[in-house]
Amino acid sequence: MVSPAEIREKFRAGLRVPTSGYCPGWTQANLLCLPKEDAYDFLLFAQRNPKSCPVLDVTEPGETSASIFAGDLRTDLPAYRVYRDGELVDERVEVADLWRDDLVSFLIGCSFTFEAALLDAGVPVRHIDAGSNVPMYRTNRECRPAGSLSGPLVVSMRPIPADLVATAVRVTSRYPAVHGAPVHIGSPGLLGIDDLGNPDFGDAVEVRPGEIPVFWACGVTPQAAVMRSRPSFAIGHAPGHMAITDVRDSTFQVP
Amino acid sequence: MVSPAEIREKFRAGLRVPTSGYCPGWTQANLLCLPKEDAYDFLLFAQRNPKSCPVLDVTEPGETSASIFAGDLRTDLPAYRVYRDGELVDERVEVADLWRDDLVSFLIGCSFTFEAALLDAGVPVRHIDAGSNVPMYRTNRECRPAGSLSGPLVVSMRPIPADLVATAVRVTSRYPAVHGAPVHIGSPGLLGIDDLGNPDFGDAVEVRPGEIPVFWACGVTPQAAVMRSRPSFAIGHAPGHMAITDVRDSTFQVP
């Protein structure tokens, strides 16, 4: 089994893949780096939207590693997105040359973390079987704003056989720190999603007869807030290309 | 059954009692009000110490009610403590005349919330039977600091019959937002508590033969950090004299 440190070394060397299915048993995290002047608004936004923004760790300004991530936050994710005034201006495999001493990094729980538990419970995960990225969608649900930050809830979707939906709810609800129970089951139209085949982030997956689309809150929500709210500068992970931390997923399991 | 709004009216009129056992089924909360300039450090302190400082709600600066508390934060708790430069300078039943437009109020989960569930499970709660306040102790465990804030973990203690300790763990672990599972069971000396009969806050209770002292993280921890770290101004609830909110305890229950 490849360790978090070993896979981070491959990412640092340039491997660029979605991380779903990598290092099962280890917690994966979304990344958002903001100037210190925007950090309070974001931490409050996260407190007010805990389903989509469960904060696992926050660095001091300028720090390049975190208490749950011994690697280098600037190089050890497979891919990054760079925003200026809310515009996506670049996607790249490292951001060391863009780093600033005033950047506070937030690590936010990712639903890839509970996929090992889903597989253990006999619930198939389509995008892992397909070797693709999870499909993610902007919804018509507004997050609760905080200071200068507002934006829509973003969700990830997994098609689940109807007789396993309850199992999927039960298993994932034990992991509230990595998005927990689904926010919506079935009826994508009610979330304002017109076409499951055309996700806003990641790759489309097949929804087979007898399968129900199940939606979990997604840690791309902070980046949707950046796009809406336009802080001067931000760095995020590329959707699906997560920080693989040094913390076991069992740490975040509740009874 | 008295509703949260009705009991808050009595507190506003001057009733001054510890709130353990009041309005069972409704969430109780610790209060800390800090100037906006200290709010980021405290929100980060809470994120880094989630067992003792589970944040349930944060107001905008100057707001006198909160999304989970429809009453007036300045008058509707039974008693308050006022700090200047970290010194406790007053304890009083309302703080309306001390209010400032830059005060951010944090509502933090309180273990009184899960006492109804303990009683339902057949676990006796000594300080409720005794009609006294819960005993609380400073420990030798340091919280993880954040910016200007540091301080010791404060715990509450309930003596539990040995054959019910596992039940108490199981029941309370379902409420992580109101301190969740105990942080320590037995052996007060290991927490640096020399004399259970001499609590730092609240009232001593009898520990009978066959009972084990069980310790939960306590929402007085933020006030211990204020005393250590000396922000210019702070208001807290008087220990044990909580904000009774408009949210059912089931809202914070996990599977």
Side-chain angles (χ1 to χ4, degrees):
Chain A
M1 189 79 78
V2 178
S3 74
E6 286 165 342
I7 194 69
R8 290 196 302 251
E9 193 175 316
K10 290 183 197 293
F11 295 154
R12 189 160 60 245
L15 177 65
R16 182 175 184 157
V17 288
T19 52
S20 175
Y22 279 76
C23 294
W26 296 92
T27 302
Q28 299 203 21
N30 300 271
L31 176 69
L32 185 68
C33 313
L34 285 171
K36 173 69 165 66
E37 64 180 2
D38 298 311
Y40 178 70
D41 283 357
F42 181 70
L43 198 52
L44 190 59
F45 184 83
Q47 193 279 327
R48 290 180 176 170
N49 299 283
K51 284 286 276 188
S52 53
C53 307
V55 178
L56 304 184
D57 207 358
V58 185
T59 67
E60 297 298 314
E63 272 191 319
T64 56
S65 60
S67 66
I68 66 167
F69 184 90
D72 189 321
L73 290 165
R74 304 168 299 181
T75 56
D76 292 4
L77 278 68
Y80 298 82
R81 287 190 165 183
V82 181
Y83 299 88
R84 293 190 190 277
D85 299 320
E87 298 292 328
L88 175 63
V89 294
D90 204 0
E91 180 163 322
R92 31 149 77 203
V93 297
E94 55 84 15
V95 291
D97 57 317
L98 299 174
W99 201 250
R100 296 167 26 166
D101 287 344
D102 67 340
L103 287 182
V104 176
S105 296
F106 297 89
L107 290 166
I108 296 151
C110 170
S111 59
F112 290 172
T113 308
F114 59 52
E115 290 177 340
L118 284 173
L119 294 171
D120 282 347
V123 179
V125 178
R126 178 69 32 80
H127 61 270
I128 293 181
D129 292 339
S132 61
N133 200 349
V134 69
M136 294 163 269
Y137 308 85
R138 278 193 185 83
T139 71
N140 58 10
R141 305 287 171 92
E142 276 296 298
C143 291
R144 200 177 149 203
S148 59
L149 286 173
S150 66
L153 170 68
V154 176
V155 293
S156 64
M157 190 279 288
R158 293 163 184 80
I160 308 285
D163 61 352
L164 289 174
V165 170
T167 301
V169 171
R170 186 176 56 75
V171 168
T172 60
S173 65
R174 297 183 70 197
Y175 295 91
V178 294
H179 303 303
V183 291
H184 199 85
I185 296 172
S187 297
L190 292 179
L191 289 175
I193 301 169
D194 296 327
D195 180 6
L196 285 178
N198 189 22
D200 294 301
F201 309 93
D203 303 319
V205 296
E206 185 188 6
V207 182
R208 297 177 188 159
E211 291 181 339
I212 308 296
V214 179
F215 300 92
W216 281 267
C218 177
V220 172
T221 301
Q223 294 191 46
V226 163
M227 288 183 253
R228 165 89 67 82
S229 313
R230 302 182 168 273
S232 59
F233 185 66
I235 295 171
H237 68 288
H241 299 67
M242 316 309 293
I244 298 187
T245 77
D246 299 287
V247 183
R248 301 297 310 205
D249 52 12
S250 57
T251 307
F252 297 110
Q253 186 181 299
V254 297
Chain B
M1 189 78 81
V2 178
S3 74
E6 287 164 343
I7 194 69
R8 290 195 301 251
E9 196 175 313
K10 290 182 198 291
F11 296 154
R12 190 160 60 245
L15 177 65
R16 182 175 183 157
V17 288
T19 53
S20 175
Y22 279 75
C23 295
W26 296 93
T27 302
Q28 299 203 21
N30 300 270
L31 176 69
L32 185 68
C33 313
L34 285 171
K36 173 71 164 67
E37 64 180 2
D38 298 312
Y40 179 71
D41 283 357
F42 181 70
L43 198 51
L44 189 59
F45 184 82
Q47 194 278 328
R48 290 180 177 171
N49 299 283
K51 285 286 275 188
S52 53
C53 308
V55 177
L56 304 183
D57 207 359
V58 185
T59 67
E60 297 299 313
E63 271 192 319
T64 57
S65 60
S67 66
I68 65 168
F69 185 88
D72 189 321
L73 290 165
R74 303 168 299 181
T75 55
D76 292 5
L77 279 67
Y80 299 82
R81 288 191 164 183
V82 181
Y83 299 87
R84 293 190 190 276
D85 298 322
E87 298 293 328
L88 174 64
V89 294
D90 205 359
E91 180 164 321
R92 29 146 79 202
V93 297
E94 55 82 16
V95 291
D97 58 315
L98 300 175
W99 201 251
R100 296 168 26 166
D101 287 345
D102 67 339
L103 287 182
V104 176
S105 297
F106 298 88
L107 291 165
I108 296 150
C110 170
S111 58
F112 288 172
T113 309
F114 59 53
E115 290 178 342
L118 284 173
L119 294 171
D120 283 347
V123 179
V125 178
R126 177 69 31 79
H127 61 271
I128 293 181
D129 293 339
S132 61
N133 200 350
V134 69
M136 295 163 269
Y137 307 85
R138 281 193 184 83
T139 71
N140 58 10
R141 305 288 169 91
E142 277 295 298
C143 291
R144 198 177 149 201
S148 59
L149 286 173
S150 67
L153 171 68
V154 176
V155 293
S156 63
M157 188 279 288
R158 293 164 185 80
I160 308 286
D163 61 352
L164 289 173
V165 170
T167 302
V169 171
R170 185 176 55 75
V171 169
T172 60
S173 64
R174 296 184 70 198
Y175 295 91
V178 294
H179 302 305
V183 292
H184 199 84
I185 297 171
S187 296
L190 292 178
L191 289 175
I193 301 169
D194 296 325
D195 179 7
L196 286 177
N198 189 23
D200 294 300
F201 311 94
D203 304 319
V205 296
E206 185 190 6
V207 182
R208 298 178 186 157
E211 292 181 339
I212 308 296
V214 179
F215 300 91
W216 280 268
C218 177
V220 172
T221 301
Q223 294 191 46
V226 164
M227 288 182 253
R228 164 90 65 83
S229 312
R230 301 180 169 272
S232 60
F233 185 67
I235 294 171
H237 68 287
H241 298 67
M242 317 308 294
I244 298 187
T245 77
D246 299 288
V247 183
R248 302 296 311 204
D249 53 12
S250 57
T251 308
F252 297 111
Q253 187 181 297
V254 297

